[in-house]
């Protein structure tokens, strides 16, 4: 009665050897299983290893239900008439970057921090002088769909397979809402939950686990990354996000050494009392911001296995890749990683909605 993940875990824990032949379409192979898995037909070359890896991963994701990956977490929602300031404050207090809006107890949509970015930039470009007041008078309903990311409300059933959820993640959806048979919201599964799956079951990474992140080809090179200097006003960082339809920008010095990043999530908690912080420099904004960092910095010689461990442990949404000296070289978002996973299964290139930096 065990699913693929539970069965694999049991076999490894009990040190039960698994004997497979080339005819086994769902064969398990990974260097991390050395001594546990043996092949009667001898050693396989890399091409065959990758083929078997695809079949294993496709089998696991196609047979495991979404509900098996869901982690119990408080369901945070706000009425659609909640003010923008109070809505962002609720998101900050609960450590969430998107929130369902309800009308008479039923979910009518999801507002994300990207919607808040667009709202804020449009206020700053307007003629009104009472910008901070609008944060307290405008409602969360006015943010709905501002970013154009209509995929934010992307429900799945608990009985759906992980493959369906992963396909959404690969296209830039950060989370999927899980509904019960009566279509009531019961929870969320996020991109972070998906990465945690690989951190806990490294065999699913197949032969890629020990490869360098720059060699796998899932990262975005420096030329594709938006960056600004620390002296630039913080609101201009959000304007860059809005203009380029991205969710984060790197903050670098004059020699392109990575210092930090500013993302859409830095708007959490912005209200009447803190709106003025948008007009200070990025460096000053980062010093006083109460925002919890949601990125990691990883060395160019790190492996895919190390990347997954760091992303899962820090609950990070992206990894900035730097040289030994700290120069910015590239970026890997959770969408980049999960797109590579789904592309590996399907053999088809994914068109991503999300642009990170």
């Amino acid at each position: 009665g065990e699913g693929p993940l539970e069965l694999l875990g049991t076999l490894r824990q009990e040190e039960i050897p698994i004997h497979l032949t080339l005819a086994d379409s769902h064969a398990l192979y990974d260097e991390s299983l050395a001594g546990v898995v043996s092949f009667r037909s001898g050693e396989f070359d890399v091409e065959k290893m990758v083929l078997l890896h695809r079949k294993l991963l496709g089998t696991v994701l196609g047979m495991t239900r979404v509900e098996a990956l869901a982690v119990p977490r408080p369901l945070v929602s706000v009425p659609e008439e909640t003010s923008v300031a109070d809505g962002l404050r609720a998101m900050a207090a609960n450590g969430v970057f998107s929130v369902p809006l309800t009308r008479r107890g039923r979910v009518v949509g999801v507002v994300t921090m990207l919607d808040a970015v667009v709202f804020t930039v449009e206020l700053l470009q307007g003629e009104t002088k009472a910008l901070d007041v609008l944060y307290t008078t405008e409602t969360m309903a006015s943010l709905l769909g501002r970013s154009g990311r209509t995929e934010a409300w992307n429900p799945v059933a608990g009985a759906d397979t992980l493959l369906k959820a992963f396909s959404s993640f690969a296209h830039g959806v950060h989370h999927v809402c899980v509904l019960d048979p009566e279509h009531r919201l019961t929870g969320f599964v996020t991109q972070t939950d998906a990465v945690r799956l690989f951190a806990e079951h490294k065999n699913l990474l197949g032969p890629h686990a020990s490869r360098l992140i720059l060699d796998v080809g899932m990262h975005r090179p420096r030329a594709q990354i938006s960056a600004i200097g620390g002296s630039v006003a913080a609101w201009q960082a959000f304007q860059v996000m809005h203009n380029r339809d991205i969710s984060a920008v790197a903050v670098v010095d004059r020699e392109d050494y990575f210092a930090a990043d500013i993302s859409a999530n830095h708007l959490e908690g912005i209200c009447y009392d803190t709106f003025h912080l948008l007009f200070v420099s990025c460096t000053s904004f980062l010093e006083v911001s109460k925002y919890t960092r949601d990125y990691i910095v990883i060395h160019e010689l790190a492996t895919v296995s190390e990347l997954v461990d760091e992303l899962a442990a820090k609950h990070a949404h992206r990894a900035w890749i730097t040289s030994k000296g700290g120069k910015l070289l590239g970026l890997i978002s959770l969408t980049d990683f999960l797109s590579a996973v789904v592309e590996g299964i399907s053999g088809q290139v994914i068109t991503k909605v999300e642009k990170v930096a």
Side-chain angles (χ1 to χ4, degrees), residues 213-214 219-220 225 258 296-301 319-323 326-332:
I213 52 178
L214 293 184
H219 72 288
R220 305 177 189 213
I225 298 174
F258 180 81
I296 60 173
V297 179
I298 197 161
H299 191 270
E300 61 180 316
L301 298 180
W320 298 98
I321 307 168
T322 63
S323 66
K327 279 200 171 185
L328 181 59
L329 298 179
L331 168 70
I332 298 177

Side-chain angles (χ1 to χ4, degrees), residues 333-349:
S333 69
L334 298 190
T335 297
D336 295 328
F337 173 77
L338 294 170
S339 292
V341 168
V342 174
E343 286 176 359
I345 297 174
S346 65
Q348 299 178 345
V349 176

